Amino acid sequence: MAQLTVSRPYAEYFAYDHPKSDPAGSRHWQSLPGSDSSALFRTRDELLSSFAADVASLESLAAADGGDRGYTIVLKWSAITGYIETVTTNKDPSKRFRPFPLPAGSLDRLVVEEFMPLLDGAGRIPQPAEGDDADGPHRDAVRSIANALWGRARNRTSENHSKSVYSLLRGEVESPKMGIDCFSSTLLAVCGMNVLGRRSFLTLSEIHAYESHRPGGAGGERKTCEVSYVGADAAAKRGMSISEIREFKATDTDDSWMYMNGCPVICETAGEALAALVSATNFDIDKNKDVYSEALIEIKRDMLWVLFDAGFLKRIPYALSELADCEGHMCTERGTELVEAPEYLSRTDVKVSMVEKLHWDSISVSRKEYRDGQMVPYCYAGHHALDLGRLGPEHHLVEAMRLYHEAARVVAGYSYDVKDEGKYLVDQLKVLMDNVKTDILMEQEESGGDKKRSRRWSRRDCSVATATWHLGFL
């Protein structure tokens, strides 16, 4: 049986932090309500056992007509993953702690005692009677929760480590700017709406999150609500539809890149919302120096495998890419296992690593479900191929160039506006161009050091193929 490649961990050129300090001595632990020692997770295995049990219950809860449909479970794990992220990723080494023991009982109390009261205002908004307009009251409830969240956060927001109920309620313990962002504010608003018995869905593009709902029930027209708006008159504008708030000159709002060309990822169940939450967990300590939290990578990876086995990743390209990325950093036997991929390969005698198949699955889902409108799956797969090419055979560099070309092709399919987060796309393309220049078209001098020279290809077909894809990329 022929083999394409076995994925290698990125540990050969990244730094991984594993602090030894007891978390009970941290300000975060001390800020939590209660200290029930019987409600602790003492090991990763204990945490994963509890997580697996909760995930197993989500499928039946999602089908329920009443109740919260499993969204209290999402809130529970938003508190737990947010706490772990916060205590393991502080840039100051003296403020980083190992994740275990983990005060699970105190984090449960935090959600009940400090998050649930934020829903009181929305809870007083009457549910519409059958036949009445349901859209207006729904928007009022979203607005009430969104304003309560942003009021509690006191508009604290940052791009890093602000994606959980924990960062909302305790982020400022060590970091004055840590609060919520567009993802966490929308996720928590959606959780709150479902806790109150109002069907609401987390809706995602590659750069933005917002709420959607169907006032007429499952077959009704999909409506949208902005949750994270922080501009002028924000309190009044939250809860409005995206087309009412966002005014793009170059393109219609629904068809913009910020809103995924009218084809966003809609998390239809609590299980998919939980998958989005875990995928968004950020294990960076200092990305500029390539320093990451080893413990958080391992926890995130194992949680994503549980969600993968439950089927909650299959509609979310980003989640599949994140699982592959975690395996690239801290690989397991499952990640390096050689598997058949007949849906992607014309040959039946070739196997690929599970990591590569995850990347291909992510691209395939984007193509089939989202009109091939996402650049992230191509970027992640390209970065992985580039890392393999740095360490091994040069045909991986050809694949990286091809995937970067595909990412650029997706980007070229959109019209852009200055208000459409176009700067983010420019930044991503700059990363790709830098990778092409420094790691594909060039190589280190044999003498070592930082000096580079034009790459001397050992195979002419790889040189020609790379040049062809490079022309398309340009």
Side-chain angles (χ1 to χ4, degrees):
M1 180 71 74
Q3 299 177 359
L4 287 185
T5 184
V6 176
S7 174
R8 304 182 187 184
Y10 305 161
E12 297 186 35
Y13 44 91
F14 289 160
Y16 298 97
D17 181 73
H18 34 83
K20 303 298 184 183
S21 300
D22 187 340
S26 71
R27 292 179 61 193
H28 285 280
W29 183 297
Q30 295 161 8
S31 75
L32 293 172
S35 57
D36 184 358
S37 61
S38 67
L40 299 176
F41 294 145
R42 299 186 181 279
T43 65
R44 189 167 88 236
D45 286 345
E46 289 184 8
L47 179 145
L48 291 172
S49 177
S50 177
F51 182 71
D54 281 345
V55 169
S57 70
L58 287 178
E59 187 172 357
S60 59
L61 288 171
D65 291 332
D68 69 2
R69 303 178 186 87
Y71 281 87
T72 53
I73 291 175
V74 180
L75 289 169
K76 167 186 173 179
W77 288 99
S78 179
I80 291 172
T81 58
Y83 166 84
I84 297 172
E85 181 176 339
T86 302
V87 300
T88 60
T89 60
N90 197 299
K91 283 191 174 182
D92 183 346
S94 69
K95 296 178 181 179
R96 292 200 293 268
F97 300 84
R98 65 176 189 265
F100 302 104
L102 187 146
S106 295
L107 291 167
D108 280 343
R109 285 186 58 184
L110 183 69
V111 172
V112 172
E113 295 176 8
E114 298 190 29
F115 176 79
M116 292 302 181
L118 298 176
L119 309 181
D120 288 348
R124 290 192 290 269
I125 297 172
Q127 293 274 13
E130 186 174 352
D132 290 350
D133 172 43
D135 190 45
H138 186 100
R139 293 186 184 281
D140 291 341
V142 170
R143 181 178 298 110
S144 173
I145 296 174
N147 287 337
L149 293 172
W150 285 100
R152 176 66 177 81
R154 293 186 289 280
N155 289 327
R156 288 178 290 113
T157 184
S158 67
E159 293 182 1
N160 296 319
H161 312 303
S162 291
K163 299 186 181 300
S164 68
V165 69
Y166 186 83
S167 65
L168 166 69
L169 301 175
R170 287 295 186 274
E172 62 186 337
V173 167
E174 296 282 10
S175 304
K177 292 184 179 180
M178 188 183 293
I180 52 176
D181 62 7
C182 73
F183 175 83
S184 53
S185 62
T186 305
L187 172 70
L188 297 179
V190 166
C191 287
M193 290 292 286
N194 281 282
V195 167
L196 295 175
R198 299 176 185 264
R199 279 199 177 273
S200 179
F201 306 99
L202 176 65
T203 308
L204 304 169
S205 71
E206 292 187 298
I207 190 61
H208 193 51
Y210 52 103
E211 189 268 358
S212 63
H213 56 281
R214 298 184 181 91
E221 179 186 359
R222 185 173 69 91
K223 306 285 188 178
T224 62
C225 286
E226 272 288 1
V227 174
S228 60
Y229 189 79
V230 292
D233 301 320
K237 289 184 176 180
R238 293 175 191 138
M240 290 183 178
S241 69
I242 58 176
S243 58
E244 289 180 287
I245 291 183
R246 307 286 181 175
E247 297 178 357
F248 300 150
K249 295 179 181 179
T251 181
D252 292 335
T253 301
D254 288 338
D255 294 333
S256 70
W257 175 73
M258 190 172 184
Y259 294 96
M260 225 60 260
N261 200 20
C263 199
V265 176
I266 302 175
C267 297
E268 299 279 358
T269 66
E272 290 182 336
L274 181 59
L277 162 68
V278 176
S279 300
T281 303
N282 182 359
F283 48 71
D284 295 351
I285 294 175
D286 190 336
K287 197 164 187 178
N288 292 328
K289 297 181 179 179
D290 290 329
V291 180
Y292 306 103
S293 168
E294 180 176 316
L296 186 54
I297 293 173
E298 293 174 337
I299 291 168
K300 176 177 178 176
R301 176 200 65 203
D302 293 347
M303 292 174 75
L304 285 173
W305 275 124
V306 172
L307 291 160
F308 177 90
D309 290 337
F312 289 129
L313 303 192
K314 62 185 179 182
R315 292 183 55 256
I316 309 176
Y318 178 68
L320 292 164
S321 295
E322 281 290 316
L323 175 53
D325 189 53
C326 288
E327 279 286 346
H329 282 282
M330 296 288 162
C331 61
T332 63
E333 289 185 6
R334 186 172 184 181
T336 56
E337 178 186 4
L338 294 174
V339 297
E340 295 180 355
E343 63 270 46
Y344 305 122
L345 300 171
S346 58
R347 294 171 58 184
T348 58
D349 63 335
V350 175
K351 286 188 175 183
V352 299
S353 73
M354 186 63 184
V355 169
E356 286 174 302
K357 187 174 185 301
L358 287 169
H359 282 302
W360 293 355
D361 286 344
S362 176
I363 291 170
S364 177
V365 172
S366 177
R367 286 175 171 172
K368 293 176 180 178
E369 301 288 337
Y370 305 106
R371 299 190 297 213
D372 199 16
Q374 299 190 18
M375 67 176 290
V376 167
Y378 293 111
C379 290
Y380 271 65
H383 297 337
H384 177 70
L386 180 64
D387 290 329
L388 292 175
R390 286 168 173 163
L391 301 169
E394 64 185 19
H395 68 264
H396 292 299
L397 299 176
V398 180
E399 178 67 356
M401 188 70 255
R402 183 187 73 81
L403 290 162
Y404 288 163
H405 161 267
E406 295 290 353
R409 174 186 58 76
V410 170
V411 171
Y414 287 103
S415 298
Y416 298 100
D417 187 274
V418 67
K419 299 178 181 179
D420 188 24
E421 300 292 342
K423 181 180 181 299
Y424 174 86
L425 278 178
V426 171
D427 290 344
Q428 294 305 303
L429 288 174
K430 285 180 178 177
V431 170
L432 301 188
M433 289 187 288
D434 186 62
N435 287 349
V436 169
K437 176 184 176 182
T438 61
D439 291 302
I440 296 179
L441 302 182
M442 302 185 75
E443 64 183 357
Q444 280 190 319
E445 293 273 11
E446 292 178 356
S447 58
D450 295 330
K451 289 186 177 181
K452 292 202 169 187
R453 68 184 184 194
S454 296
R455 181 171 295 280
R456 298 175 183 175
W457 298 87
S458 58
R459 290 175 50 182
R460 186 175 184 277
D461 59 339
C462 288
S463 173
V464 172
T466 299
T468 302
W469 290 118
H470 185 230
L471 288 172
F473 176 78
L474 297 174

